[in-house]
Amino acid sequence: MNELKTPSTHDILRDLEVNIFTFVKSKEIEVYFQLSNLYRLLTAESYQAFSKDKENLDKLSQKEKQKQLKKWSKKAKPFCKKTDAKLKGKFRSSVGFYRDILIHKKRYYKIKDFNAIVDFIVQEKLLVATLDPLPVIDMTQVESYALQEIEQGPLKLKK
């Protein structure tokens, strides 16, 4: 039997495609994730399969990438809508961004609530997670990941 390695916090944050916001005046860093990415993670057969899907997506042409993202979005939409409604009352750490006037708002949740949100989803039976073990983020590692990503910059040029 193959021994599956448990992903590090940095791996989970990278594959969840978290968004990092920095505030100049307060020198504060906040990290957010989307429910749709959490849905794909929790419904993956393994963490390695989830990570591989992301790698394969990055290799696709722009047109194929959009097609795949649309397929994933359609699958995740009912879960996100139902879960977001439940999370609004319990977790006040969400923020929404509009892409433009005609497109609905995308909601992001603070990574500091990630472990509690995963537990809530499982306890409330909002989703039957197929991923075992459930992902856990070590909050002491989040800032180092964010700083590393900020240093690399938005282009992340590979050498």
Side-chain angles (χ1 to χ4, degrees):
M1 186 169 153
N2 288 345
E3 185 68 28
L4 294 178
K5 94 174 190 182
T6 305
S8 70
T9 293
H10 283 235
D11 291 341
I12 294 171
L13 294 172
R14 179 197 67 229
D15 291 338
L16 275 177
E17 297 179 348
V18 296
N19 291 327
I20 301 166
F21 299 101
T22 58
F23 301 94
V24 178
K25 283 187 178 181
S26 65
K27 296 183 181 174
E28 196 175 321
I29 297 172
E30 289 188 358
V31 180
Y32 290 84
F33 70 96
Q34 283 184 294
L35 281 179
S36 58
N37 292 340
L38 178 59
Y39 170 83
R40 286 191 310 105
L41 174 60
L42 294 177
T43 58
E45 66 181 56
S46 69
Y47 181 80
Q48 287 69 20
F50 171 74
S51 185
K52 195 69 167 166
D53 280 348
K54 186 193 171 297
E55 273 180 43
N56 292 337
L57 181 70
D58 291 341
K59 294 175 186 173
L60 294 176
S61 69
Q62 191 62 32
K63 187 175 182 178
E64 288 296 314
K65 189 184 278 191
Q66 287 176 334
K67 188 176 175 183
Q68 183 62 43
L69 288 171
K70 193 172 188 175
K71 181 178 165 185
W72 285 346
S73 178
K74 188 175 182 180
K75 216 174 162 183
K77 193 173 186 172
F79 162 77
C80 292
K81 196 172 187 178
K82 179 174 79 172
T83 304
D84 189 43
K86 297 265 186 180
L87 293 177
K88 275 185 193 176
K90 185 146 177 78
F91 298 94
R92 302 229 184 271
S93 70
S94 69
V95 64
F97 295 101
Y98 288 96
R99 287 193 290 181
D100 66 37
I101 295 171
L102 301 174
I103 298 177
H104 69 281
K105 171 166 63 171
K106 285 203 175 248
R107 185 165 299 283
Y108 296 84
Y109 288 87
K110 282 187 181 177
I111 204 71
K112 71 177 187 164
D113 290 333
F114 180 86
N115 296 332
I117 287 173
V118 169
D119 291 342
F120 181 77
I121 288 169
V122 171
Q123 287 171 358
E124 294 293 316
K125 296 180 173 89
L126 299 173
L127 174 74
V128 177
T130 57
L131 187 67
D132 189 31
L134 291 173
V136 176
I137 290 183
D138 178 355
M139 294 305 157
T140 63
Q141 296 292 310
V142 172
E143 187 174 346
S144 69
Y145 175 82
L147 291 172
Q148 177 184 323
E149 288 296 301
I150 291 167
E151 285 175 13
Q152 288 181 357
L155 298 178
K156 296 181 191 168
L157 298 173
K158 295 189 175 163
K159 296 179 182 175

